[in-house]
């Protein structure tokens, strides 16, 4: 059976006759990227323990309780309130109907929480009949985790976007969801020039230190993901299916590569098939995780325009690449430009426009982690402010012998060299956990002291 298109084209997958939950409801007031980055994490009481692999320690009972909350559907705002007040999904379920009503859950949500977990409940949510078993099997594999709204690892930018998901199923490196990123989106059937532009922009952005976020769709999305990986950069794929299913199916190899070298995120549990309503919902996460959204080629009714609109609603920057007036796939980009999107001709222009919010993201993350690091910002922040030159810029390198007030940072700096070093070796050299190192390396990347290539780290010359 051929793969069905998603809203990045002019048609949708065939309707699924099973009843399903609509995308979560009530939007929150949008915030600027800078405000999102600086926003404090949840209270310490809600923090989740971290194991040596860096994944939140979440027992089977807690994971299944969170799955029940997700299956309740409807407004996510009320369920976020319930989670925050109870501190865990298991406690939220145990609190009972009175607490559920007090958190403003609807009667339909209360009925679903009271229902017995099983095939009927999962099917009503639009998931696989054995969603609970699939989830536990999936979580048992390395590099898989479920990040809930109350977890400190929940991405800061997404936390302040309108209508953030209650939880994310993540395969790969969850720290990448915090990394400064640009969403690169566009047509599922681009012209050769459009594909070339997508590859050029994604490659340059990745080499400049920005992650590339997209939706794994055919066309521009897949091209951007591949170009970022081939450049040795970072990429995040947000899916409209479960995190274990590629859509379209021919992207299974690309999905596996992104999970191994970057990160894959979905708000749907493992085994969830593609449905029409999932793709606009996916697009809001793509926009919410990113400092800005770049549209390469898009027709007037393209799903990429949905992502651009959602990015604007998040208070994020929107960019568009102009094209020929005779190219129907340029009309959506021209419309965005008329409506105020930034007209860009190079990745350096994107980086320069995002430099102020990227700088505040670095400062906010450093304050959140209590990182005693002074000095410059990430290489992307140092990009030529006139929009010319390489995206990575030519900022002065960090001194070869850096002195840090925090002994853990000094230990990490001493463990790093100018040759790429893998995470396992850094754990061995420093005695720190993967979780600790991931946070510290991200801060040092944002400061411009460290660079990453293919999951290995080295001092930035």
């Amino acid at each position: 059976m051929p793969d069905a298109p998603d809203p990045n084209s002019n048609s949708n997958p065939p309707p699924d006759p099973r009843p399903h939950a609509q995308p979560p409801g009530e939007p929150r007031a949008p915030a600027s990227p800078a405000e999102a980055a600086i926003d404090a994490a949840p209270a310490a009481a809600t923090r989740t323990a971290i194991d040596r692999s860096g994944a939140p320690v979440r027992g089977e009972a807690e994971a299944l309780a969170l799955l029940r909350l997700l299956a309740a559907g409807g407004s996510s705002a009320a369920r976020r309130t319930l989670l925050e007040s109870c501190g865990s999904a298991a406690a939220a379920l145990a609190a009972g109907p009175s607490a559920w009503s007090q958190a403003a859950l609807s009667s339909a949500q209360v009925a679903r929480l009271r229902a017995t977990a099983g095939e009927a409940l999962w099917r009503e949510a639009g998931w696989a009949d054995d969603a609970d078993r699939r989830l536990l099997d999936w979580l048992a594999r390395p590099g898989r985790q479920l990040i809930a709204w109350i977890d400190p690892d929940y991405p800061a930018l997404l936390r302040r976007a309108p209508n953030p998901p209650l939880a994310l199923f993540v395969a790969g490196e969850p720290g990448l969801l915090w990394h400064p990123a640009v969403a690169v989106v566009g047509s599922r059937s681009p012209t050769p020039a459009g594909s070339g532009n997508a590859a050029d922009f994604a490659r340059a952005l990745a080499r400049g230190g920005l992650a590339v976020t997209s939706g794994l769709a055919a066309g521009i999305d897949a091209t951007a993901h591949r170009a970022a990986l081939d450049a040795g950069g970072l990429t995040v794929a947000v899916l409209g299916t479960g995190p274990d299913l590629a859509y379209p199916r021919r992207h299974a190899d690309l999905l596996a590569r992104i999970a191994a070298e970057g990160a894959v995120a979905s708000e749907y549990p493992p085994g969830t098939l593609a449905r029409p309503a999932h793709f606009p919902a996916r697009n809001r996460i793509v926009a919410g995780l990113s400092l800005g959204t770049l549209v390469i080629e898009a027709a007037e009714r393209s799903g990429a325009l949905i992502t651009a609109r959602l990015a604007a609603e998040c208070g994020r920057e929107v960019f568009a690449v102009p094209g020929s007036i005779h190219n129907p796939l340029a009309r959506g980009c021209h419309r965005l430009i008329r409506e105020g999107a930034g007209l860009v001709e190079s990745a350096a222009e994107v980086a320069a426009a995002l430099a102020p919010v990227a700088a505040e993201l670095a400062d906010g993350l450093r304050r959140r982690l209590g990182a005693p690091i002074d000095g410059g910002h990430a290489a992307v922040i140092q990009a030529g402010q006139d929009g010319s030159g390489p995206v990575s810029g030519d900022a002065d390198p960090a001194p070869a012998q850096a002195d840090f007030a925090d002994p853990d940072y000094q230990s990490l700096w001493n463990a790093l060299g100018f040759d790429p070093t893998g995470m396992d070796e850094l754990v061995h050299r420093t005695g720190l956990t993967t979780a600790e190192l991931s946070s510290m390396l991200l801060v040092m990347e944002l400061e411009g002291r460290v660079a990453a290539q293919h999951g290995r780290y080295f001092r930035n010359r």
Side-chain angles (χ1 to χ4, degrees):
M1 179 184 297
D3 295 314
D6 70 23
N8 283 346
S9 70
N10 292 329
S11 59
N12 290 319
D16 189 320
R18 297 178 298 177
H20 61 284
Q22 295 298 316
E26 303 170 6
R28 303 174 66 200
S32 70
E35 290 172 332
I38 296 172
D39 187 43
T46 69
R47 291 177 180 266
T48 309
I50 302 292
D51 68 11
R52 193 167 181 81
S53 69
V57 178
R58 176 169 281 111
E60 291 187 359
E62 177 65 13
L64 293 177
L66 185 55
L67 192 68
R68 290 282 304 278
L69 281 180
L70 293 172
S75 166
S76 63
R79 287 174 292 160
R80 291 195 300 268
T81 299
L82 180 64
L83 263 180
E84 289 169 350
S85 63
C86 295
S88 73
L93 287 184
S98 176
W100 303 341
S101 298
Q102 187 175 357
L105 268 67
S106 68
S107 57
Q109 289 176 313
V110 170
R112 283 194 176 184
L113 289 182
R114 299 186 69 168
T116 303
E119 292 184 7
L121 180 61
W122 311 139
R123 193 180 304 119
E124 187 178 0
W127 303 341
D129 291 348
D130 56 347
D132 48 354
R133 181 188 63 78
R134 285 177 182 262
L135 172 61
L136 296 181
D137 290 347
W138 183 81
L139 286 174
R141 299 172 61 191
R144 307 288 187 267
Q145 64 178 279
L146 176 55
I147 301 177
W149 173 254
I150 56 174
D151 291 336
D153 285 344
Y154 194 97
L157 287 179
L158 185 60
R159 185 179 293 281
R160 290 299 302 273
N163 192 23
L166 190 66
L168 289 171
F169 300 85
V170 181
E173 174 50 60
L176 296 188
L177 303 185
W178 282 73
H179 196 89
V182 175
V184 179
V185 297
S187 171
R188 291 182 71 254
S189 302
T191 65
S195 293
N197 286 337
D200 289 345
F201 271 89
R203 189 181 302 114
L205 291 168
R207 286 175 177 167
L210 286 161
V212 172
T213 308
S214 202
L216 199 73
I220 296 297
D221 288 24
T223 297
H225 287 307
R226 289 193 181 98
L229 292 173
D230 291 344
L234 307 175
T235 192
V236 176
V238 183
L239 307 188
T241 61
D244 55 337
L245 298 179
Y247 186 86
R249 286 171 291 179
R250 64 182 178 275
H251 287 171
D253 289 346
L254 179 57
L255 176 64
R257 184 182 177 192
I258 295 172
E261 301 178 34
V264 174
S266 174
E267 65 178 317
Y268 306 107
T272 304
L273 300 175
R275 311 184 112 186
H278 290 182
F279 294 102
R282 171 205 63 185
N283 292 351
R284 88 189 193 284
I285 299 175
V286 171
L289 286 172
S290 307
L291 292 174
T293 291
L294 170 64
V295 183
I296 300 292
E297 265 189 345
E300 288 186 297
R301 295 176 58 83
S302 172
L305 301 187
I306 297 176
T307 309
R309 174 178 58 79
L310 293 168
E313 290 176 0
C314 290
R316 314 293 162 81
E317 297 288 340
V318 177
F319 309 96
V321 177
S324 168
I325 61 172
H326 304 293
N327 177 9
L329 295 181
R331 291 172 185 163
C333 293
H334 294 166
R335 172 180 150 194
L336 288 174
I337 293 168
R338 286 195 298 270
E339 293 174 352
L343 186 159
V344 292
E345 298 175 319
S346 71
E349 293 174 318
V350 176
L354 294 178
V357 289
E360 292 190 43
L361 176 64
D363 293 340
L365 179 60
R366 186 170 59 252
R367 288 198 297 273
R368 177 187 180 278
L369 297 174
I373 300 179
D374 300 317
H377 297 292
V380 62
I381 301 170
Q382 310 256 0
Q385 296 301 307
D386 61 356
S388 61
V391 179
S392 58
D394 294 314
D396 292 336
Q401 298 299 325
D403 292 322
F404 297 92
D406 188 301
D408 286 343
Y409 277 90
Q410 188 65 53
S411 175
L412 173 56
W413 180 255
N414 294 338
L416 288 164
F418 292 104
D419 294 320
T421 305
M423 182 65 77
D424 289 342
E425 181 62 23
L426 291 176
V427 169
H428 175 71
R429 292 179 184 178
T430 64
L432 299 171
T433 67
T434 301
E436 292 168 332
L437 289 172
S438 294
S439 297
M440 294 162 63
L441 285 165
L442 178 55
V443 171
M444 294 170 81
E445 278 190 80
L446 291 170
E447 292 289 341
R449 299 173 183 269
V450 171
Q453 187 173 45
H454 301 298
R456 300 164 71 85
Y457 300 87
F458 54 94
R459 294 185 184 184
N460 197 14
R461 296 178 184 272

